[in-house]
Amino acid sequence: MAEFLSLREAVSKYINDGDTVAMEGFTHLIPFAAGHEVIRQKKRNLTLIRMTPDLVYDQMIGAGCAKKLMFSWGGNPGVGSLHRLRDALENGWPNSIEILEHSHAAMACAYDAGAAGLPLAVLRGYVGSDLPKVNDQIKFIECPFTGERLAAVRSVRPDVTVIHAQRADRKGNVLIEGIIGIQKEAVLAAKRSIVTVEEIVDDLNAGVNACVLPSWAITAVVEAPKGASPSYALGYYDRNNAFYKEWDSIARERDTFQAWLKKNVFEKGAA
């Protein structure tokens, strides 16, 4: 059953150096507040998993938290490159990192297999792709029923999954509204999970076919208003498009990035 903790407590208790950590949320509900707390606590040697690593992972990589990144697309949406990721890959600053690249379809299938407790996922894909040449977790198998050649990928089973959502009730059940990415599967695939929410309420008021994560699937619930900003949370606040544009110049140089990190992450703290 989920326990209610502060963000500081949840990250300290459930994210350890060397863990494999997934932080998911597609377009909105990206867990920025949790990512910043990981930075503040100076977690190290993390293997970061995210289908679409964007600003939050650029910040964590630039802060020295990561040793490896597993992903299927990386960039600043609508703007350009992730400069801290590029600096780590090209120049080893602040430390070098490994990358493991998949397709979107393979990542989604790998999470789904992890949620089902399976060791691998099978899909039609990677035919003609060069990714199998650089990713040793992509194999090809023969279907025992049809003889068809299919791709197989190792399932994703993180030590910890972190997501953001709109609401949790006082029993620890969580409601996710709006665009649903891979959050549900990422939580179910993980050994432990932290869910930050905009608010804790008496009743979720969940509609028919709503995405509700049950308390038994969640390790810790954290009330963290605006915990997804500068991304958006449907029904609570809009995306801060200006910041995504500003990030390009902030992250481009090490000095401006470090100054931003000091002012906006380390000096702000978390409850």
Side-chain angles (χ1 to χ4, degrees):
M1 301 295 286
E3 61 177 325
F4 292 87
L5 297 173
S6 70
L7 185 53
R8 184 182 294 113
E9 290 170 333
V11 169
S12 176
K13 186 172 182 179
Y14 292 118
I15 299 180
N16 305 307
D17 289 350
D19 275 351
T20 297
V21 180
M23 291 188 171
E24 288 295 348
F26 182 71
T27 304
H28 75 146
L29 299 177
I30 299 169
F32 275 93
H36 292 173
E37 184 59 23
V38 170
I39 293 171
R40 276 190 290 271
Q41 294 192 21
K42 298 184 178 180
K43 302 293 183 179
R44 292 293 181 264
N45 297 316
L46 302 178
T47 294
L48 298 178
I49 303 175
R50 181 167 164 76
M51 287 185 67
T52 55
D54 46 20
L55 274 57
V56 67
Y57 273 12
D58 207 31
Q59 293 162 7
M60 292 171 68
I61 289 166
C65 299
K67 70 172 182 180
K68 187 174 182 178
L69 175 66
M70 180 178 177
F71 71 109
S72 51
W73 176 90
N76 183 344
V79 180
S81 292
L82 296 176
H83 299 297
R84 295 301 91 221
L85 170 59
R86 289 193 62 164
D87 204 6
L89 288 171
E90 295 171 2
N91 305 304
W93 190 94
N95 54 270
S96 60
I97 64 167
E98 289 181 69
I99 60 170
L100 191 68
E101 187 175 358
H102 271 297
S103 67
H104 277 335
M107 285 281 289
C109 289
Y111 270 124
D112 197 43
L118 297 172
L120 81 166
V122 179
L123 66 151
R124 289 190 176 95
Y126 289 126
V127 175
S129 169
D130 284 334
L131 280 175
K133 298 176 183 177
V134 296
N135 184 340
D136 63 6
Q137 293 187 17
I138 302 169
K139 306 294 183 183
F140 290 93
I141 62 173
E142 181 180 297
C143 173
F145 302 106
T146 66
E148 184 179 1
R149 188 171 184 257
L150 299 169
V153 296
R154 186 187 298 274
S155 62
V156 170
R157 307 193 75 177
D159 293 311
V160 192
T161 287
V162 183
I163 65 168
H164 188 75
Q166 279 91 352
R167 296 187 293 281
D169 65 21
R170 302 193 189 282
K171 295 179 181 178
N173 303 300
V174 168
L175 175 67
I176 306 174
E177 294 183 303
I179 298 172
I180 305 297
I182 203 71
Q183 294 101 310
K184 176 182 68 176
E185 291 82 359
V187 166
L188 293 174
K191 297 175 185 174
R192 306 181 297 278
S193 58
I194 299 170
V195 181
T196 58
V197 295
E198 289 297 318
E199 60 178 336
I200 295 170
V201 297
D202 294 327
D203 189 333
L204 292 178
N205 291 316
V208 176
N209 294 327
C211 182
V212 176
L213 293 175
S215 178
W216 57 260
I218 299 165
T219 309
V221 172
V222 174
E223 189 171 36
K226 298 210 78 174
S229 180
S231 76
Y232 74 96
L234 182 71
Y236 288 83
Y237 45 88
D238 295 332
R239 186 178 191 265
N240 185 350
N241 291 316
F243 181 77
Y244 281 80
K245 294 178 181 178
E246 291 165 7
W247 184 250
D248 188 70
S249 58
I250 292 167
R252 192 174 289 271
E253 302 296 335
R254 296 172 187 175
D255 289 345
T256 53
F257 166 71
Q258 289 178 308
W260 180 89
L261 204 64
K262 181 176 184 292
K263 178 180 179 181
N264 295 279
V265 177
F266 286 108
E267 292 180 358
K268 279 194 172 182

